[in-house]
Amino acid sequence: MAHNLQSVLLFGQPGVGKGTQGEIIGSIPGFVHLATGDMFRGLDRDSELGQEFIKYSSQGLLVPDELTCRLWQQYVQGLIDTNQYRPNSDVLLLDGIPRSVAQAELLDSHIDVLRIIHLVCPDTDALVERMKKRADKQGRPDDADEDVIRRRLQVYHDETQPVLAHYDPSTVVEIDAIGLPGEILQKILNSIIPVARDVIQNPLG
Ligand code: ADP
């Protein structure tokens, strides 16, 4: 497995807009968006791993760290093998990982964190409403049930929030997640382009 993958982390509570922003930025040459939620949802539901994922996500819980990181490594390797991600000239935009301190430690030997974009939304009720709305649109059963959503927010608070302290504070940029997607995008790009420039030598190559 490759190491020193030059990475930007998208960080923030469930529903804060990481996926929306990640997808847009991932369409820019030189950036590769990897969302672990999508990775898990792409598993065959009838497979052992797929069942394992459903067992945890349907309760609003995290998939165990070892399994998550092992799958993540295989997934990254798959992107490299299929030329969808070129570690020498692409920045990896990680969305949804690391989600616990243990995961951050497991990832330390693989990634260099150039920037952490912390999307912030103090209005938790607004996030819950957003998630309920997207449940049907995206076919996400874990978004349909308010109890499960609240559990996910709690798990974020207890297990994911402490991840920030694992990294150098100078890499963290807080961005207000309320506003037009275009405005938020602009702020994110302003803070990641300068650190990504050195990595992205030949974006169209
Ligand atoms: P959200 O950010 O809206 O909570 P995601 O689409 O990122 O949702 O993830 C959906 C589910 O996938 C999570 O609730 C969790 O069960 C699982 N998952 C995603 N990423 C991780 C991770 N890094 N570690 C453990 N579980 C994860």
Side-chain angles (χ1 to χ4, degrees):
M1 171 74 189
H3 53 89
N4 295 342
L5 307 175
Q6 304 298 306
S7 306
V8 168
L9 309 186
L10 281 176
F11 202 83
Q13 297 185 85
V16 85
K18 303 186 294 292
T20 303
Q21 296 296 333
E23 215 170 294
I24 302 170
I25 299 165
S27 72
I28 302 173
F31 290 96
V32 174
H33 176 223
L34 193 175
T36 47
D38 293 341
M39 171 187 88
F40 281 124
R41 281 185 291 274
L43 293 169
D44 176 357
R45 288 179 143 250
D46 297 326
S47 68
E48 207 174 310
L49 282 178
Q51 285 296 314
E52 195 75 355
F53 163 63
I54 290 168
K55 184 172 94 187
Y56 292 100
S57 62
S58 64
Q59 300 178 69
L61 300 174
L62 296 182
V63 176
D65 296 324
E66 297 273 342
L67 175 59
T68 298
C69 291
R70 195 156 20 98
L71 205 62
W72 174 84
Q73 275 189 49
Q74 285 172 11
Y75 195 83
V76 172
Q77 194 58 56
L79 293 177
I80 294 173
D81 293 343
T82 53
N83 282 326
Q84 296 178 75
Y85 167 46
R86 297 172 180 79
N88 290 333
S89 55
D90 291 329
V91 169
L92 191 59
L93 191 59
L94 293 178
D95 164 1
I97 193 166
R99 236 171 163 112
S100 67
V101 172
Q103 289 182 17
E105 286 167 354
L106 286 166
L107 258 56
D108 274 345
S109 55
H110 300 296
I111 63 174
D112 276 350
V113 177
L114 302 170
R115 190 55 95 229
I116 301 176
I117 301 295
H118 183 193
L119 291 171
V120 183
C121 172
D123 184 354
T124 305
D125 289 338
L127 293 180
V128 174
E129 284 314 308
R130 252 197 216 182
M131 281 189 273
K132 285 203 308 210
K133 274 200 196 126
R134 80 179 175 187
D136 294 336
K137 251 200 297 194
Q138 298 182 355
R140 289 187 45 163
D142 58 336
D143 271 349
D145 182 331
E146 183 154 340
D147 288 343
V148 175
I149 293 177
R150 299 263 174 208
R151 171 90 64 86
R152 295 224 309 277
L153 291 167
Q154 188 63 41
V155 167
Y156 175 84
H157 179 267
D158 295 345
E159 298 185 49
T160 307
Q161 185 82 31
V163 167
L164 277 181
H166 180 78
Y167 297 103
D168 181 343
S170 69
T171 59
V172 182
V173 174
E174 278 203 3
I175 291 177
D176 187 347
I178 310 287
L180 294 175
E183 276 171 342
I184 299 165
L185 176 67
Q186 199 169 35
K187 290 181 194 162
I188 298 176
L189 288 177
N190 278 342
S191 82
I192 63 178
I193 298 281
V195 292
R197 199 187 298 275
D198 286 345
V199 182
I200 310 170
Q201 293 145 343
N202 181 19
L204 298 176

